[in-house]
Amino acid sequence: MTLRLLITGTDTDIGKTVFAAALTDALSGYYWKPVQSGLEDATDSETARQLGQIAPDRILPEAYRLTTPASPHLSAKLDGVTILADDLSPPETDAPLVIEGAGGLMVPLTDQTIFADVFARWRIPVVLCARTGLGTINHTLLSLEALRARSIPVLGVAFIGDEQADTQAIIAVLGQVRVLGRLPRLEPLTPDALRQAFRANFDIDRFREAAV
């Protein structure tokens, strides 16, 4: 069975692309971002390739590339594109596949569909990325409830940011969820620093368990 993991977050801009890049590198896998909104700056696929030092042929093309950096449903409208959410399906690969969602679970993909609806259909184990700063307890517990309400399997939570031991511990207890590790802030953020930090703070075997 080929390992597939879905990376989502409690919010946007919390570092899940950085985390996904490191995980793809550690697994020697493929990276796929189904929907990319905003093409002016480096796309998430380009960022993941650079930070994870991933071979270009292991960065799979997005199903939708939308111009405006906005929620996909709005970006698609502005581009005159119709997103066919029911047709989105993870590609088959011969090595682990890391899939990165956009924003959080409740981000609209279309006027009728949010990302969580697609994830519920896929039933791929989720790694929930959460920042360690103020407000993360509420955001993380709500995200876990949303996942479980849709019977989406949760592999665990990956924290991103400075150490907040009490916050991380209370999320584990109240959320009844496994903490996979914490990726610290990296300055400067380089491929070598990211690789070292990921290997020092995460046990890759915990992620491989999702294939069992």
Side-chain angles (χ1 to χ4, degrees):
M1 177 180 178
T2 300
L3 172 63
R4 299 191 297 180
L5 291 169
L6 181 55
I7 312 303
T8 191
T10 56
D11 202 350
T12 191
D13 292 331
I14 64 171
K16 63 182 184 302
T17 299
V18 175
F19 175 84
L23 179 60
T24 304
D25 171 48
L27 291 170
S28 300
Y30 290 86
Y31 170 94
W32 185 50
K33 174 96 173 185
V35 180
Q36 172 68 53
S37 298
L39 301 178
E40 287 189 3
D41 299 321
T43 65
D44 289 342
S45 293
E46 291 165 347
T47 298
R49 180 181 61 79
Q50 294 166 3
L51 284 177
Q53 297 184 311
I54 303 164
D57 64 346
R58 293 213 166 195
I59 301 292
L60 303 180
E62 301 93 336
Y64 295 95
R65 289 172 59 88
L66 307 170
T67 304
T68 305
S71 173
H73 83 290
L74 175 58
S75 189
K77 286 180 183 178
L78 295 175
D79 280 3
V81 172
T82 299
I83 294 178
L84 302 176
D86 290 343
D87 291 345
L88 275 178
S89 182
E92 295 295 327
T93 58
D94 57 5
L97 174 63
V98 175
I99 304 169
E100 183 188 351
L105 294 162
M106 299 298 180
V107 169
L109 189 55
T110 70
D111 286 347
Q112 294 81 34
T113 306
I114 60 175
F115 270 95
D117 296 328
V118 176
F119 299 164
R121 177 163 55 83
W122 290 351
R123 291 287 190 272
I124 293 173
V126 163
V127 176
L128 179 63
C129 291
R131 60 165 56 95
T132 57
L134 188 64
T136 195
I137 296 174
N138 183 61
H139 292 165
T140 306
L141 296 181
L142 284 173
S143 296
L144 289 169
E145 283 202 6
L147 288 164
R148 288 167 177 155
R150 292 167 175 79
S151 299
I152 301 171
V154 179
L155 183 64
V157 172
F159 288 104
I160 300 173
D162 299 330
E163 173 100 31
Q164 297 290 341
D166 184 76
T167 293
Q168 295 158 214
I170 198 66
I171 286 173
V173 172
L174 294 181
Q176 299 180 26
V177 68
R178 176 165 57 174
V179 174
L180 298 168
R182 179 183 61 86
L183 188 65
R185 297 179 185 275
L186 299 173
E187 294 181 5
L189 175 57
T190 65
D192 286 344
L194 178 59
R195 175 176 286 180
Q196 292 173 14
F198 187 89
R199 281 159 172 71
N201 292 281
F202 293 90
D203 180 354
I204 195 62
D205 288 336
R206 287 188 172 185
F207 298 94
R208 293 196 177 103
E209 288 174 9
V212 177

